[in-house]
């Protein structure tokens, strides 16, 4: 038999979207020899990932070349990747909000923030966890199309959720004090949040709920109001949350105890439009 050193090796590679086909054929240099040896080996290696409709950018979305499956838009991240015990409760993905209907642009109950805001929030979550709490987020990045939806709603007579969200205010007074045509949320570094008991997942009683418009939602408010009361204990809990967030680089909002914006936000003048998905 002809020695292997005298054989030539031929490689044929065929690449396709379905996989990788490799054919190796070993032959003697003298193909007319009576002890001709031919071996064929076929190896099919599937591609590790195939592009499908879920990974194709839509509208003005962008995908990172480094990690397209985990970056919803360039410079933004899914917060649950950094805070695994995060409780996601995006109210504008539901009808449990001041409008009483799902807002445009919310296609999933998925919390998205700028990378810088998410990393700062993760540090705050670590501190709160040590105190026995986990974070719940009601809203984070908000696409401009949702804000536009709020504005359209303001021009209608619909007040179906007035009792739960603005019982003591006229609908027309919500703009621009509580709802504006441009929102810091659309810049990607603002969060509406509360804390929950780490053991049970139950919300800590803050004396009032998210998006209740009016003075009772001010962080420093104490006293009774139509439909409820903010006690000194409630107020102390609000201030505890505020202090933790301030320590980790966020600035609070004096009209809403749940609202925080990263001080050094990376996009202070950009209002993004990509959907929450």
């Amino acid at each position: 038999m002809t020695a292997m050193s005298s054989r030539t090796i031929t490689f044929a590679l065929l690449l396709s979207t379905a996989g990788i086909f490799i054919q190796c054929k070993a032959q003697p240099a003298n193909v007319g020899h009576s002890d001709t040896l031919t071996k064929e080996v076929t190896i099919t290696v599937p591609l590790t990932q195939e592009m499908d409709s879920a990974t194709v950018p839509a509208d003005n979305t962008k995908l990172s070349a480094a990690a397209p499956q985990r970056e919803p838009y360039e410079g933004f991240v899914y917060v649950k990747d950094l805070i695994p015990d995060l409780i996601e409760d995006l109210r504008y993905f539901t009808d449990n909000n001041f409008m009483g209907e799902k807002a445009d642009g919310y296609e999933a109950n998925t919390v998205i923030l700028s990378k810088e805001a998410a990393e700062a929030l993760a540090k705050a979550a670590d501190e709160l966890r040590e105190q026995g709490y986990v974070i719940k987020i009601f809203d984070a990045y908000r696409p401009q199309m949702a804000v536009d939806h709020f504005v359209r709603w303001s021009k209608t007579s619909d007040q179906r959720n007035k009792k739960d969200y603005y019982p003591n205010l006229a609908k027309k007074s919500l703009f621009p004090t509580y709802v504006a045509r441009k929102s810091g949320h659309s810049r990607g570094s603002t969060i509406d949040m509360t804390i929950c008991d780490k053991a049970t997942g139950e919300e800590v009683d803050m004396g009032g709920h998210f998006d209740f418009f009016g003075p009772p939602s001010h962080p420093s408010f104490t006293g009774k109001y139509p439909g409820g009361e903010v006690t000194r204990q409630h107020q102390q809990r609000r201030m505890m949350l505020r202090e933790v967030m301030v320590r980790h680089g966020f600035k609070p909002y004096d009209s809403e105890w749940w609202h925080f914006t990263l001080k050094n936000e990376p996009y202070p003048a950009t209002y993004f439009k990509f959907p929450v998905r």
Side-chain angles (χ1 to χ4, degrees):
M1 182 178 290
T2 306
M4 280 295 295
S5 60
S6 66
R7 297 192 187 115
T8 61
I9 306 297
T10 303
F11 294 87
L13 288 83
L14 177 63
L15 306 181
S16 73
T17 57
I20 301 174
F21 170 79
I22 303 175
Q23 184 181 65
C24 304
K25 185 176 291 188
Q27 290 183 328
N30 181 2
V31 295
H33 196 279
S34 60
D35 61 353
T36 297
L37 175 64
T38 300
K39 292 184 179 180
E40 293 187 4
V41 180
T42 300
I43 304 172
T44 301
V45 183
L47 294 178
T48 57
Q49 181 178 358
E50 293 185 9
M51 180 68 77
D52 59 24
S53 59
T55 61
V56 177
D59 301 325
N60 65 337
T61 59
K62 297 179 182 179
L63 294 178
S64 164
Q69 73 278 17
R70 296 311 313 168
E71 189 171 273
Y73 190 86
E74 185 177 355
F76 287 74
V77 296
Y78 294 110
V79 179
K80 204 167 179 67
D81 284 354
L82 279 70
I83 310 174
D85 57 2
L86 171 70
I87 300 174
E88 298 175 300
D89 184 16
L90 293 184
R91 293 296 181 83
Y92 301 125
F93 180 62
T94 74
D95 60 5
N96 184 13
N97 57 62
F98 67 90
M99 291 194 303
E101 61 190 35
K102 185 168 78 72
D104 291 351
Y106 285 83
E107 300 178 9
N109 183 37
T110 304
V111 176
I112 295 171
L113 282 172
S114 69
K115 180 181 177 183
E116 291 83 353
E119 289 175 346
L121 182 63
K123 293 177 182 177
D126 290 342
E127 180 175 345
L128 289 165
R129 197 177 297 111
E130 291 175 357
Q131 299 182 42
Y133 303 113
V134 293
I135 288 175
K136 174 184 277 192
I137 292 186
F138 301 118
D139 198 26
Y141 162 69
R142 180 188 303 166
Q144 180 61 42
M145 66 185 81
V147 180
D148 295 341
H149 188 174
F150 296 170
V151 174
R152 291 196 307 274
W153 170 84
S154 73
K155 298 176 182 178
T156 71
S157 60
D158 184 0
Q159 299 187 76
R160 73 186 88 170
N161 275 9
K162 176 178 173 61
K163 180 181 177 181
D164 293 328
Y165 288 93
Y166 52 105
N168 308 311
L169 297 172
K171 179 177 177 178
K172 63 181 180 181
S173 70
L174 301 183
F175 290 79
T177 304
Y178 297 100
V179 184
R181 294 178 181 274
K182 293 289 186 181
S183 170
H185 283 277
S186 300
R187 300 195 299 264
S189 298
T190 293
I191 310 153
D192 291 336
M193 61 178 289
T194 191
I195 51 176
C196 298
D197 183 274
K198 185 169 67 173
T200 65
E202 302 227 344
E203 280 188 39
V204 173
D205 185 0
M206 295 290 194
H209 61 77
F210 163 70
D211 259 5
F212 184 90
F213 298 130
S217 291
H218 296 184
S220 59
F221 180 90
T222 57
K224 293 183 179 181
Y225 61 94
E229 180 180 8
V230 179
T231 66
R232 179 64 177 164
Q233 186 178 36
H234 294 141
Q235 194 264 347
Q236 288 174 342
R237 292 170 182 164
R238 295 178 179 191
M239 297 310 293
M240 180 276 290
L241 175 59
R242 179 186 180 115
E243 290 166 4
V244 170
M245 295 299 288
V246 168
R247 271 197 295 275
H248 293 283
F250 291 88
K251 56 185 178 183
Y253 179 42
D254 288 339
S255 295
E256 298 172 350
W257 60 261
W258 56 79
H259 181 113
F260 302 93
T261 299
L262 187 68
K263 288 181 182 177
N264 297 318
E265 55 182 312
Y267 311 109
T270 305
Y271 296 85
F272 293 90
K273 299 179 180 180
F274 66 94
V276 175
R277 57 165 61 134

